[in-house]
Amino acid sequence: QVQLVESGGGLVQAGRSLRLSCAASGTFVTINAMGWYRQAPGKQRELVAAITLSANTNYADSVKGRFTISRDYAKNTVFLQMNSLKPEDTAVYYCAADLVNTLLPREYWGKGTLVTVSS
């Protein structure tokens, strides 16, 4: 089992930055993939960014060049640095993890952290 706890959400003005963190704990040998999804009101959950054990990354087109995903492999923690935030980035951001090698981690989920970007 893997437990994921997100932190770092909040209210920010457009153009500013936020950094999300997600720490994994539990009973596992290796978490292969970690990532971030988001869900805005009335919309489906979508992948924002993901990173594998070998540091391969995957980004949604809408965040390329603005968001950066990274990992602290020793601490089983994944980060999402979000720069140049836009109002359309407003959503609940969910951390995800998978024990298999995938750029679409979906096996385990955090409870989410709200990011609100004001114009």
Side-chain angles (χ1 to χ4, degrees):
Q1 290 293 326
V2 178
Q3 291 81 44
L4 302 172
V5 178
E6 304 102 333
S7 61
L11 173 64
V12 65
Q13 288 186 324
R16 305 297 292 266
S17 299
L18 274 179
R19 188 185 193 218
L20 304 183
S21 300
C22 171
S25 62
T27 305
F28 51 85
V29 176
T30 303
I31 295 178
N32 214 317
M34 298 188 77
W36 293 93
Y37 290 73
R38 67 186 181 188
Q39 187 166 17
K43 295 187 177 181
Q44 289 188 328
R45 190 174 298 190
E46 62 175 358
L47 176 72
V48 177
I51 185 168
T52 67
L53 192 62
S54 53
N56 293 319
T57 57
N58 182 23
Y59 291 94
D61 288 342
S62 59
V63 307
K64 285 180 180 177
R66 299 189 298 123
F67 291 10
T68 302
I69 190 168
S70 60
R71 279 177 76 166
D72 182 331
Y73 293 90
K75 296 183 179 179
N76 289 309
T77 301
V78 64
F79 306 97
L80 185 68
Q81 179 65 42
M82 305 185 293
N83 298 330
S84 301
L85 282 161
K86 304 176 181 180
E88 50 264 44
D89 295 317
T90 295
V92 177
Y93 284 70
Y94 297 91
C95 179
D98 212 305
L99 301 183
V100 299
N101 187 28
T102 175
L103 286 169
L104 295 172
R106 293 171 179 165
E107 188 170 3
Y108 299 97
W109 295 91
K111 293 183 178 180
T113 185
L114 178 63
V115 172
T116 304
V117 183
S118 63
S119 56

